Amino acid sequence: MRTLRLREHATSFGVALSPDEVDELRRTVSSVDVQPTPGLRHRFDVRPGATVGIVRLGDLSVEIQPKLPIRRLLFLLSYLVDPKGWRPDETEVDEGADLFEAVIPAFAFQVYRALRRGVLQGYRTEEDALSVVRGRVRFDDQIRRRYGRTPPVEVRYDEFTEDIEANRLIKAATRRLLRLRPRSLASRRSLAGIEVAFAAVSDVTYRARDLQEIPYNRLNAHYRPAVELARLILRATSLEVGHGAVRGMACLFDMNVVFEDFVVVALREQLRLSTHTFPQGASGHRLCLDNDRRIRLEPDISWWEGERAVFVGDVKYKRTADALGRNADIYQAMAYAIAADLPGALLIYAAGEREQGVHRIIHLDKVIEVVTMDLNARPEVVLGLVQAIAERIRALQSAQG
């Protein structure tokens, strides 16, 4: 198998690709820019965007490495799935590993830790036709299907079983990773061991839009990190990509989404606020720019007291060729401040994407503050930056009280 190694936002020149591979790479990774190399036939200059991970296209393996060190990206993912129980030793990784190979030990660690108490069991509602009554009789179905005659009896009952949604998600993520053929023998063995542990669990094929939230309680809270990482993996992977002669599989993480999700979760933890009070994308609330309430705005971060926003902001992990994109970010933040009738808004960038500073908007008496987070720093330093930003947000919110 040929391997093409790329790096986020870095151009690789003169890459040999077939026309089918070019088409499928563009289709599979929409953020990648593929242009013919001047003066060379069948050679291309390839520049990935902020999507990182691995794509298998026929006999071509495309590995897109993040600009962050792998261990720093694993910290972001580990914190996302377990902000209260995250530990630094969970993100130790071989510096030579690619992202896909590094995710597998992290996933296996969480799953085996969850399995210390055994495979989780729970109640699952079943509907069946039985020779004896079990649970509750479905009288409407009994009359419609059996004309009221018994047996069999149409019943609904709760089954105590390992075949529950949390276990199905973990098993599906395990099988998805195995299908991508990890190189490491240790990784393959770890995933095979997980498959054995979940042998009694149904095989379910999930699409990203089908992934439902799992309700957690004191009985299954120890499963949360493993299940949430499984959901992340299932959102990032596709069993089959491509529509032409070249078909394959992919495991891709959008760094824009990872960074935004991390910032929202980390700030929410620092501020000790609920998802309703400090939502992502103003979920559950309505913020509009016009009197007719037709122009709806969805700031990445906001703080609500009832139906009034007392703080708004946006999170940006991006790289643009010139200042225009950054100016658009200022316009966007300004619109949030106007719609919320607030003195200003906050923009949070990954370090290196924009300088920190304060922009005072003429004629409008609005202030847009820009802060940055250095994701290359050690986890405790990153969390310290989050705490400092949280304190600034609290000060802005208090000023509205």
Side-chain angles (χ1 to χ4, degrees):
M1 175 173 282
R2 296 153 52 221
T3 300
L4 172 59
R5 292 183 173 86
L6 306 172
R7 184 165 293 277
E8 177 190 357
H9 291 301
T11 303
S12 294
F13 298 95
V15 177
L17 295 171
S18 71
D20 285 335
E21 289 170 342
V22 170
D23 290 343
E24 295 307 331
L25 182 57
R26 285 171 171 161
R27 184 177 291 116
T28 303
V29 192
S30 59
S31 64
V32 72
D33 181 48
V34 184
Q35 300 295 333
T37 302
L40 295 177
R41 295 184 62 189
H42 306 302
R43 298 280 176 163
F44 298 86
D45 297 341
V46 184
R47 180 182 175 86
T51 300
V52 300
I54 187 169
V55 182
R56 311 273 196 211
L57 296 172
D59 66 349
L60 176 66
S61 176
V62 182
E63 299 175 3
I64 306 174
Q65 292 289 86
K67 62 183 178 181
L68 288 177
I70 293 294
R71 66 181 184 279
R72 301 300 185 229
L73 176 50
L74 285 183
F75 156 65
L76 300 182
L77 296 176
S78 298
Y79 188 91
L80 270 178
V81 301
D82 191 17
K84 290 185 171 63
W86 170 84
R87 299 199 308 266
D89 59 351
E90 294 177 19
T91 59
E92 292 302 316
V93 65
D94 181 1
E95 284 302 314
D98 61 60
L99 176 59
F100 169 67
E101 295 287 342
V103 163
I104 296 175
F107 174 65
F109 173 85
Q110 296 291 1
V111 174
Y112 281 112
R113 186 168 69 172
L115 290 176
R116 289 173 185 171
R117 305 184 197 178
V119 178
L120 184 68
Q121 292 183 292
Y123 286 100
R124 191 186 69 212
T125 300
E126 297 281 0
E127 293 185 352
D128 205 350
L130 303 178
S131 58
V132 296
V133 175
R134 181 180 181 186
R136 298 174 295 281
V137 177
R138 294 181 290 137
F139 289 103
D140 289 345
D141 289 333
Q142 188 70 33
I143 293 171
R144 184 174 65 254
R145 298 179 183 178
R146 312 292 175 187
Y147 304 102
R149 295 194 297 267
T150 59
V153 183
E154 298 287 341
V155 296
R156 180 184 291 111
Y157 59 92
D158 291 330
E159 178 81 9
F160 193 64
T161 175
E162 294 180 358
D163 194 14
I164 58 176
E165 187 68 4
N167 290 332
R168 289 176 175 179
L169 288 167
I170 292 174
K171 185 173 184 178
T174 301
R175 293 175 67 85
R176 194 75 62 88
L177 292 171
L178 281 169
R179 286 282 300 276
L180 281 160
R181 305 189 300 275
R183 293 192 300 266
S184 166
L185 177 61
S187 291
R188 294 197 300 272
R189 285 176 173 171
S190 294
L191 293 173
I194 295 171
E195 264 201 312
V196 171
F198 291 92
V201 177
S202 297
D203 293 328
V204 179
T205 300
Y206 291 93
R207 293 175 296 181
R209 62 177 177 269
D210 297 333
L211 295 172
Q212 303 296 319
E213 296 285 344
I214 298 293
Y216 295 101
N217 53 47
R218 63 180 181 82
L219 298 177
N220 67 356
H222 66 290
Y223 245 57
R224 181 171 189 157
V227 173
E228 292 305 309
L229 188 50
R231 294 177 75 249
L232 267 178
I233 290 168
L234 290 170
R235 283 201 300 268
T237 55
S238 298
L239 280 176
E240 189 171 304
V241 297
H243 299 82
V246 178
R247 305 179 76 85
M249 295 170 288
C251 178
L252 298 167
F253 294 88
D254 186 338
M255 290 300 301
N256 297 293
V257 175
V258 171
F259 180 59
E260 179 185 324
D261 288 351
F262 169 77
V263 171
V264 173
V265 170
L267 286 174
R268 193 182 288 149
E269 287 292 314
Q270 286 289 339
L271 294 167
R272 294 180 173 82
L273 298 175
S274 68
T275 55
H276 182 73
T277 303
F278 197 83
Q280 186 170 7
S283 177
H285 302 273
R286 193 172 185 88
L287 184 66
C288 298
L289 189 59
D290 64 324
N291 289 327
D292 293 332
R293 300 182 68 79
R294 294 178 181 176
I295 305 174
R296 186 167 182 175
L297 303 178
E298 298 178 350
D300 294 333
I301 50 176
S302 52
W303 188 335
W304 295 78
E305 292 181 355
E307 288 307 306
R308 175 174 174 256
V310 294
F311 163 80
V312 288
D314 226 34
V315 181
K316 301 294 183 184
Y317 177 96
K318 63 193 300 183
R319 178 164 294 180
T320 55
D322 52 39
L324 184 60
R326 276 60 175 275
N327 288 347
D329 298 341
I330 299 294
Y331 308 153
Q332 186 177 16
M334 185 172 62
Y336 296 155
I338 293 170
D341 193 22
L342 293 172
L346 184 68
L347 272 172
I348 303 173
Y349 282 90
E353 298 305 314
R354 192 179 182 113
E355 295 298 322
Q356 297 196 138
V358 175
H359 301 275
R360 302 184 186 280
I361 310 302
I362 61 173
H363 307 310
L364 292 179
D365 196 27
K366 304 288 183 186
V367 176
I368 307 301
E369 295 186 40
V370 176
V371 297
T372 62
M373 291 181 58
D374 183 5
L375 300 179
N376 283 295
R378 297 189 310 276
E380 57 270 24
V381 175
V382 173
L383 292 178
L385 294 172
V386 171
Q387 183 178 5
I389 293 171
E391 290 171 356
R392 181 57 187 151
I393 291 174
R394 192 178 293 280
L396 293 170
Q397 177 270 340
S398 298
Q400 305 307 309

